[in-house]
Amino acid sequence: MRSSAWFVASCALILCTLRMIGGAKGQRQCSETDYYYEYTECDSTGSRWRVAIPQKTGACTGLPDPVRGTECTFSCEAGEFLEMSAQECTQCAAGSYSLGSGIRFDQWDSMPAGFSSLATSLENGPRGDDRLTCNSSSWVPQGNYLESNRDECTVSLIYAVHLKKQGSVSFDYQYPDNNLLFEFFIQNDQCQEMDQSTDTKWLKLTNHGEWATHTVNLKSGTNILYWRTGGVLMGTKVVKPVLLKNVQIEGVAYTSECFPCKPGMFSRVPGSSMCEPCPRDTYSGHGASSCTPCNTSTQYAAEGSAACKDRPPCSKKDYFQFHTACDHEGKTQVIYRWIEPKICLEGVTGAETLPPSGEREPCPPCNPGFYNNDTATCSPCPPGTYSDGMKPCKQCPASTEPTLGYEYKWWNILPSNMKTSCFNVGNSKCDSMNGWEVAGDHIQSGTGSSDNDYLILNIHVPGFKLPTSMSSHSGTEFGRITFEFETVCTADCELYFMMDVNRKSTTVVESWERSKTRQTYTHIMTKNASVSYTWAFQRTNQPSDIRRYVNDVARIYSISVSNAVDGVSSGCRACALSTQPSSSTCVPCPPGHYIETRTSQCTECPPNTYLVSHTTPGPDACKPCGPGSKSDKDHTRCYSDCHFTHTEGNTTLTFDFSLLGSVGSLMNGPSFTSKGTKYFHHFNISLCGEQGQLAVCRDNVTDLSIADSQREKGEGANAVKTFICQSTIIPASGRGFHTALSSQSINLADTFLGATVDDTLNGIRARPELYPQTSKKVPDVNFYFRSLEATSSCESGRSAVVTLRCNPEKSTKGELSVPSQCPAGTCDGCTFHFLWESSGACPTCTERDYHRIEGACKGGHQDLLYVWTEPKLCMGGVTLPEKKTLPCEGMEFWIRLGAGLGAFTAVMLVSLTCYFWKKNKRLEYKYSRLVMSANKECEMPGADSCAVMEGENEGDMEDEVVYTKPSLLGKLKAIASKGNGEKYENVQLNSSHSKALVWS
């Protein structure tokens, strides 16, 4: 900071130089219009100087000398300004205003001085040509407000202010679309971000057409304010821009002038701290202290107008119809009425006249749960009774109880728990009669004051009350809202269905663009809370102040809300009775029990079934779980216990998927939008386990109404807790945001249908052709899921298939992937496909998965080893048996045994050879003797025998030899006879003479 002495010396030098220059040129003396006053920076003693600054350098001479200024802590009150020449606070004149120690920006015909709009260049996309696409993106002044960009570029609105003391900044905004991110943060003069809590940095969503106010405290010194927006555009949907107005900053020490009232505003008395809008049919210019009336016979002006407009001829767009309330005769009629305020002229050329009222007709029936007892209005049935709307109320029979809720299908008058309104985009509310209009069998959107107005219909449900028999159930649906609607449009109309839970944050549940045929939509409420359901219809998203598309309309034919705590009864529901014989009081059933209609007793659902609470009582209320699944103990849902068994032929495979972990995550991409914004899809998958192990996805920028601890648990309007969920992640780099952004969390699977190796289940088809094929023997296991929430593009809700594949090369946790052909996880937007490859997805090991290897026998011992069959396609289960060592006979023993047997065989062969050789010699000898004897003594035939020659031994003489050529059979018999102890061979000779020698 400069010291005052140095500053005075510098000023004196400047003044002397100017006087010398002026004297040399003969310049004129400065008047009060040639300069203005400013204070110097405060020095260390808290002092400052007032100096005169020329409007144009060198235009005149003789500027006033610097004088000591007021104390640095000096400030003026609201409605006053600091008159610098006298250094005193002075009241603002009529037609102007002052905040005293603050400044306000409420006129946006052009960008006010000090504000700048800066677009951040996008990160390069895959083609590298997206660097310059955001040059045309900026905040745009629209008269009463600033409008942000509608594209995905990141654009910052910047304003720098120096505060003399602690202050604050407040502003009004509209932020209806979470496809556009909106943050507000503050930096100091060193470009360091100030400490801010999350709820002051990220702005909460607002209802369509409504303005919210945001206030943040500021520190003394320089504060640089940033309003930053950036789109998250995943399709062709047109986003709603952020609107900003009435920026007010407190904490400046003073204002040296008053701000004139903008056109359409005025301040009638001096010392005003704000200006008022001119009443209807009046106008005002810049800095007005009063408003000028219009010529109402030919002109009109809306509230806060800067000029009068000519009244147009009346047309069909200037009136609407409605049904009168039923009179005492039960009659109603259609009446036409001019839209207020009426701005058209009737008695001119081409003007339409107001149609006459229709004929009186019988009133439509009362809605279910109401009755008409000869009065002009329908009254709700007393507690414990019911009615279909056309008959008197009746008492519910024994063993039943009345159902509670709303069911509106006749629209003679607007129900008491419903409200209708109209919000103009740039201003405040329009006339409530221009919101939604009853039309007998439906209710339809009204005319509005302009085409881009939001026409609002709201119904508030203070809470839900389950039927007595279901009151003890937890984790089930508490109620559901169902409505039938259609839209008929020629422009870019859109119908929004929104929900505000516990009056914290409004979120869009579903929306429909352009014309839609008559259809039904259902939303399930999964927790007991106060909720407001809102329908908002907008004919066009483009700025408009006229009614061009008045014939574009949205119609709602029926609305029903079940289990509403303040509802009426349209029927009776069976309930369970107490076991006491004399009791006829309905009692709650334990969780997972249905009502047996024959006995009126609570009966537990069979194993592995889940109870559907909104169905009729009886056994059919228990639905069987799918294959590979089981029900929780309360029979509220089915889940997988991480175990799966598959049998094919004689082989049974058992899987234990608990090795994969409780929740798996996948971030695919990156992907790029049409302008190059990088984004990722982040999926959380809970494959198996009960409700406490579900996956959680949450938005970190728009769900600010709950504590961080609740957000971590998956609580809050924008948090999703289910089996499979998806979030859109935008990285911090390249977008100007200070952290990675998570938004657009959606539910992909809240119901587990079953696990099977088949490719189809309950109409959902797995697509194995999307993944690389595998030739392994272990089949893929498909987990099938479905979401019960219907969307505009998926009438049956979204579905998902998680394919588990055994891959021993992966870790136990494994790796998730999506098909390469569908990088977003889905090819049609409704069915999502995931592949989870892991060694933990392999079946449990059994004895057939390993084999035995026998080692060599060494030292009389042999090792038996057990190894896994390769490739190993199993996990866990049995373990390999330990190595075994067994005694064995070595090779030397068998060699010795073989040598011994060989020697014995050789000896036997030699002995047999010698024996048969000797035998052969004896036979040869005998043969030779016979031959010799035959030649000598028996040369001539006739003798019957041959005598034994003298000298032959007795044994030889006893031999009677008859010789024939021996046969093989004879040889064998001979060998056998030797074993019987015979010493001699007898060979029978065949002859016709018993004692003759026969040769053959």
Side-chain angles (χ1 to χ4, degrees):
M1 185 182 291
R2 298 175 299 177
S3 66
S4 58
W6 178 87
F7 183 80
V8 172
S10 300
C11 290
L13 179 61
I14 294 172
L15 289 174
C16 292
T17 304
L18 291 175
R19 286 190 180 120
M20 291 175 62
I21 296 174
K25 295 184 178 181
Q27 290 180 329
R28 61 180 178 82
Q29 290 292 320
C30 291
S31 64
E32 292 183 357
T33 59
D34 295 323
Y35 59 87
Y36 62 93
Y37 291 110
E38 278 195 5
Y39 283 121
T40 65
E41 295 287 345
C42 295
D43 57 21
S44 58
T45 64
S47 301
R48 57 185 174 181
W49 294 80
R50 188 199 68 179
V51 296
I53 308 298
Q55 299 282 2
K56 185 178 180 180
T57 304
C60 61
T61 185
L63 292 174
D65 295 332
V67 297
R68 185 173 294 277
T70 59
E71 297 296 328
C72 291
T73 58
F74 175 82
S75 63
C76 293
E77 298 294 333
E80 299 178 340
F81 73 101
L82 181 64
E83 205 284 309
M84 293 293 290
S85 59
Q87 298 192 67
E88 293 180 353
C89 292
T90 305
Q91 280 191 341
C92 293
S96 63
Y97 72 98
S98 168
L99 300 177
S101 60
I103 50 178
R104 179 189 291 138
F105 302 95
D106 54 7
Q107 187 173 354
W108 305 95
D109 296 318
S110 60
M111 192 69 75
F115 282 87
S116 60
S117 182
L118 176 65
T120 303
S121 297
L122 288 175
E123 194 172 16
N124 277 342
R127 302 178 302 277
D129 56 357
D130 299 311
R131 179 69 57 180
L132 302 177
T133 57
C134 291
N135 287 350
S136 59
S137 299
S138 65
W139 286 77
V140 181
Q142 296 287 1
N144 293 324
Y145 56 90
L146 271 177
E147 182 180 279
S148 75
N149 57 309
R150 296 170 180 254
D151 54 27
E152 61 195 60
C153 296
T154 302
V155 183
S156 298
L157 178 67
I158 307 172
Y159 181 76
V161 61
H162 186 82
L163 300 185
K164 299 296 183 180
K165 58 182 180 180
Q166 290 185 350
S168 64
V169 56
S170 65
F171 53 88
D172 297 335
Y173 71 95
Q174 279 188 20
Y175 178 29
D177 195 342
N178 63 355
N179 288 298
L180 203 66
L181 304 175
F182 183 30
E183 67 171 334
F184 173 73
F185 63 96
I186 308 162
Q187 290 183 351
N188 58 20
D189 54 0
Q190 302 299 319
C191 293
Q192 296 175 341
E193 188 172 345
M194 302 288 193
D195 293 334
Q196 282 181 263
S197 60
T198 303
D199 57 348
T200 61
K201 180 178 179 179
W202 295 103
L203 281 301
K204 292 189 293 185
L205 293 171
T206 62
N207 292 335
H208 287 63
E210 294 187 3
W211 292 89
T213 301
H214 189 68
T215 303
V216 178
N217 293 328
L218 302 177
K219 295 181 179 179
S220 59
T222 300
N223 292 265
I224 306 174
L225 312 180
Y226 287 84
W227 293 266
R228 180 171 292 171
T229 57
V232 190
L233 308 185
M234 301 300 128
T236 59
K237 182 180 176 66
V238 178
V239 301
K240 306 295 183 183
V242 174
L243 307 183
L244 183 69
K245 69 176 183 179
N246 294 339
V247 178
Q248 182 170 316
I249 302 173
E250 296 284 350
V252 297
Y254 65 91
T255 176
S256 58
E257 61 180 349
C258 294
F259 298 96
C261 295
K262 66 178 183 179
M265 309 286 284
F266 74 102
S267 63
R268 60 168 55 91
V269 295
S272 298
S273 60
M274 60 181 299
C275 297
E276 302 176 30
C278 286
R280 181 173 286 119
D281 292 332
T282 63
Y283 72 97
S284 70
H286 191 266
S289 59
S290 62
C291 297
T292 304
C294 299
N295 182 4
T296 55
S297 60
T298 58
Q299 294 179 321
Y300 76 98
E303 183 180 3
S305 296
C308 295
K309 297 180 181 180
D310 293 334
R311 294 182 179 273
C314 291
S315 66
K316 295 181 179 179
K317 302 177 182 180
D318 295 306
Y319 62 82
F320 65 96
Q321 70 174 31
F322 69 97
H323 289 70
T324 62
C326 290
D327 56 20
H328 63 283
E329 297 179 358
K331 301 285 186 176
T332 183
Q333 66 179 148
V334 175
I335 292 182
Y336 296 89
R337 182 174 295 176
W338 294 111
I339 295 174
E340 297 294 339
K342 182 183 177 184
I343 62 173
C344 63
L345 294 176
E346 296 183 62
V348 296
T349 303
E352 291 278 345
T353 59
L354 193 66
S357 299
E359 296 183 359
R360 297 173 68 248
E361 300 174 351
C363 288
C366 294
N367 283 307
F370 291 83
Y371 72 101
N372 190 330
N373 54 353
D374 298 329
T375 61
T377 60
C378 294
S379 303
C381 287
T385 62
Y386 71 99
S387 171
D388 60 358
M390 294 182 287
K391 299 178 182 178
C393 299
K394 296 181 180 180
Q395 192 76 27
C396 284
S399 72
T400 64
E401 61 178 334
T403 59
L404 295 179
Y406 316 120
E407 187 176 354
Y408 301 126
K409 57 183 181 181
W410 300 108
W411 303 91
N412 181 51
I413 60 172
L414 194 69
S416 59
N417 62 340
M418 300 185 71
K419 295 181 180 179
T420 179
S421 58
C422 171
F423 285 95
N424 185 273
V425 172
N427 298 309
S428 56
K429 286 186 178 182
C430 42
D431 195 289
S432 61
M433 290 298 292
N434 297 339
W436 288 69
E437 304 164 356
V438 294
D441 65 340
H442 67 274
I443 184 172
Q444 65 183 18
S445 56
T447 54
S449 59
S450 61
D451 283 340
N452 65 338
D453 286 348
Y454 289 102
L455 308 174
I456 308 296
L457 179 66
N458 175 274
I459 181 172
H460 178 68
V461 182
F464 296 89
K465 181 181 179 181
L466 290 172
T468 302
S469 58
M470 304 290 296
S471 60
S472 62
H473 291 209
S474 59
T476 183
E477 74 169 62
F478 286 88
R480 56 176 56 195
I481 180 171
T482 302
F483 59 93
E484 187 179 7
F485 72 98
E486 71 173 346
T487 56
V488 180
C489 302
T490 57
D492 56 334
C493 71
E494 190 163 6
L495 175 65
Y496 300 88
F497 175 60
M498 300 174 288
M499 178 176 65
D500 182 2
V501 178
N502 292 330
R503 302 185 183 274
K504 289 184 176 181
S505 178
T506 299
T507 57
V508 177
V509 179
E510 190 57 78
S511 63
W512 299 268
E513 296 180 350
R514 300 187 179 275
S515 295
K516 295 296 178 183
T517 57
R518 188 166 173 173
Q519 57 189 278
T520 300
Y521 180 81
T522 299
H523 176 73
I524 298 174
M525 193 68 183
T526 57
K527 62 181 179 180
N528 193 359
S530 171
V531 59
S532 291
Y533 297 109
T534 301
W535 295 264
F537 180 70
Q538 188 181 37
R539 290 188 170 89
T540 178
N541 189 40
Q542 303 301 319
S544 174
D545 57 357
I546 60 174
R547 289 189 292 266
R548 181 181 306 169
Y549 306 109
V550 70
N551 292 325
D552 292 2
V553 64
R555 299 187 182 98
I556 297 179
Y557 293 91
S558 64
I559 299 175
S560 63
V561 181
S562 65
N563 300 336
V565 69
D566 62 341
V568 294
S569 177
S570 59
C572 299
R573 173 190 174 98
C575 68
L577 299 180
S578 173
T579 56
Q580 299 296 329
S582 60
S583 176
S584 61
T585 305
C586 295
V587 296
C589 284
H593 287 63
Y594 68 92
I595 303 172
E596 181 58 58
T597 54
R598 292 182 293 104
T599 61
S600 297
Q601 298 297 312
C602 299
T603 305
E604 185 175 5
C605 284
N608 294 330
T609 62
Y610 66 97
L611 182 64
V612 181
S613 59
H614 64 276
T615 57
T616 56
D620 292 340
C622 301
K623 304 298 182 182
C625 293
S629 65
K630 59 189 300 185
S631 63
D632 57 9
K633 62 180 181 180
D634 292 338
H635 297 276
T636 58
R637 69 170 65 206
C638 299
Y639 71 97
S640 169
D641 62 355
C642 295
H643 293 85
F644 178 77
T645 301
H646 171 64
T647 300
E648 185 173 354
N650 295 327
T651 303
T652 299
L653 300 178
T654 302
F655 297 82
D656 183 4
F657 298 125
S658 60
L659 301 174
L660 299 175
S662 57
V663 177
S665 296
L666 165 67
M667 183 178 290
N668 68 336
S671 300
F672 296 86
T673 61
S674 58
K675 284 195 173 183
T677 299
K678 180 193 292 185
Y679 68 93
F680 299 85
H681 282 145
H682 184 265
F683 300 93
N684 285 331
I685 299 176
S686 175
L687 196 64
C688 51
E690 295 193 45
Q691 186 173 359
Q693 299 173 313
L694 296 179
V696 177
C697 294
R698 54 189 174 272
D699 297 352
N700 66 351
V701 293
T702 57
D703 196 8
L704 304 172
S705 60
I706 59 173
D708 291 339
S709 60
Q710 293 176 293
R711 192 178 296 115
E712 290 294 332
K713 297 178 182 178
E715 299 177 2
N718 295 324
V720 176
K721 188 175 183 181
T722 183
F723 285 108
I724 304 177
C725 58
Q726 172 196 303
S727 297
T728 300
I729 307 295
I730 300 179
S733 59
R735 294 303 311 273
F737 295 103
H738 302 282
T739 183
L741 304 179
S742 172
S743 65
Q744 300 179 354
S745 297
I746 59 174
N747 175 13
L748 301 182
D750 52 19
T751 302
F752 176 58
L753 301 179
T756 177
V757 297
D758 297 334
D759 291 341
T760 58
L761 182 66
N762 287 7
I764 303 174
R765 187 173 71 91
R767 299 182 60 185
E769 70 275 7
L770 296 176
Y771 305 114
Q773 298 301 311
T774 176
S775 60
K776 296 176 180 177
K777 299 180 180 179
V778 178
D780 295 340
V781 181
N782 298 314
F783 277 62
Y784 292 87
F785 301 88
R786 185 184 296 280
S787 172
L788 297 178
E789 293 184 3
T791 65
S792 57
S793 58
C794 308
E795 295 182 358
S796 300
R798 300 181 181 94
S799 57
V801 182
V802 182
T803 300
L804 301 185
R805 175 170 293 177
C806 172
N807 190 340
E809 298 179 358
K810 301 291 184 180
S811 64
T812 303
K813 182 69 176 177
E815 180 180 325
L816 273 164
S817 62
V818 294
S820 58
Q821 302 177 23
C822 312
T826 177
C827 300
D828 58 5
C830 293
T831 303
F832 289 76
H833 300 272
F834 304 94
L835 177 64
W836 197 335
E837 294 183 281
S838 166
S839 59
C842 296
T844 302
C845 295
T846 61
E847 287 79 1
R848 64 174 175 270
D849 294 307
Y850 63 82
H851 60 276
R852 187 178 70 179
I853 298 178
E854 297 180 354
C857 185
K858 296 181 180 180
H861 294 84
Q862 181 185 31
D863 292 337
L864 299 181
L865 300 177
Y866 298 87
V867 296
W868 295 111
T869 302
E870 294 296 336
K872 182 187 177 185
L873 298 177
C874 64
M875 176 65 65
V878 300
T879 58
L880 284 175
E882 297 182 357
K883 181 179 69 173
K884 297 180 181 179
T885 302
L886 301 176
C888 63
E889 298 293 343
M891 186 60 67
E892 296 178 356
F893 169 79
W894 294 106
I895 292 175
R896 291 196 300 270
L897 179 60
L901 291 175
F904 175 77
T905 303
V907 171
M908 289 295 295
L909 290 175
V910 171
S911 301
L912 290 173
T913 301
C914 295
Y915 171 77
F916 285 111
W917 179 81
K918 184 178 179 180
K919 268 288 192 186
N920 186 57
K921 286 296 183 183
R922 289 181 65 188
L923 290 173
E924 185 178 358
Y925 172 75
K926 291 179 181 181
Y927 175 72
S928 64
R929 292 291 299 270
L930 287 173
V931 171
M932 290 175 64
S933 174
N935 290 335
K936 290 180 180 182
E937 299 179 4
C938 301
E939 290 180 358
M940 295 300 291
D944 292 333
S945 62
C946 293
V948 178
M949 295 183 65
E950 183 180 0
E952 291 180 353
N953 56 39
E954 184 178 357
D956 292 338
M957 287 189 295
E958 291 176 357
D959 290 336
E960 180 181 0
V961 180
V962 179
Y963 192 85
T964 63
K965 189 176 181 179
S967 66
L968 177 62
L969 181 60
K971 291 181 181 181
L972 294 175
K973 288 182 178 180
I975 295 172
S977 65
K978 183 187 73 169
N980 295 331
E982 297 180 1
K983 295 182 180 180
Y984 306 100
E985 291 182 350
N986 293 325
V987 180
Q988 180 68 39
L989 297 177
N990 296 325
S991 175
S992 61
H993 303 283
S994 61
K995 294 184 180 181
L997 179 64
V998 181
W999 299 95
S1000 61

